[in-house]
Amino acid sequence: MKKTLPVAVILLLSACTVPRQASVSSVDANSGIVRLSYGQAVLQSATTDSYVANGMATKQCQQMGYATAFPYGQPEETCTTISGSLCLNHTITLQYQCRGVTVTPMTSTGSYW
């Protein structure tokens, strides 16, 4: 009995980590900042794939004329649902800064001679 209790606790706690897909929540073209957000419920430890999130941010940056995106600052955690003094849902926001300039090749519309 004493040996099965720690195993049961580890299995129970490992189920609390939940993968989440971050989505674009805001884009500021003037400052070159892209924000991605995902939700996290109470007693969960939500994680997102940093490679996929960076790809989404880079795509948004390229649509604005920048070359790539770099993680910027620390993730921001905002409480979205409160019950009494307990926060039931959080929104985690990741910030990315757009850098560089994309160069598009010129296309020829006529002949040179």
Side-chain angles (χ1 to χ4, degrees):
M1 178 69 183
K2 290 182 182 180
K3 292 182 181 180
T4 59
L5 184 61
V7 172
V9 170
I10 290 172
L11 289 175
L12 180 67
L13 291 178
S14 67
C16 295
T17 301
V18 179
R20 296 284 187 200
Q21 178 70 35
S23 60
V24 177
S25 58
S26 69
V27 176
D28 186 359
N30 292 332
S31 62
I33 301 292
V34 175
R35 291 179 180 86
L36 305 177
S37 298
Y38 62 93
Q40 175 177 315
V42 66
L43 299 178
Q44 284 185 345
S45 176
T47 59
T48 188
D49 187 356
S50 61
Y51 183 77
V52 173
N54 195 3
M56 291 177 67
T58 298
K59 183 177 177 181
Q60 286 294 318
C61 288
Q62 288 173 349
Q63 289 177 357
M64 294 186 295
Y66 293 96
T68 188
F70 290 94
Y72 177 71
Q74 296 295 321
E76 296 176 358
E77 187 172 322
T78 306
C79 184
T80 55
T81 306
I82 300 173
S83 176
S85 63
L86 181 65
C87 182
L88 298 178
N89 288 323
H90 294 268
T91 298
I92 311 297
T93 303
L94 308 171
Q95 296 185 54
Y96 289 86
Q97 184 179 32
C98 301
R99 296 184 187 167
V101 178
T102 56
V103 178
T104 56
M106 294 181 59
T107 58
S108 175
T109 58
S111 64
Y112 291 106
W113 28 79

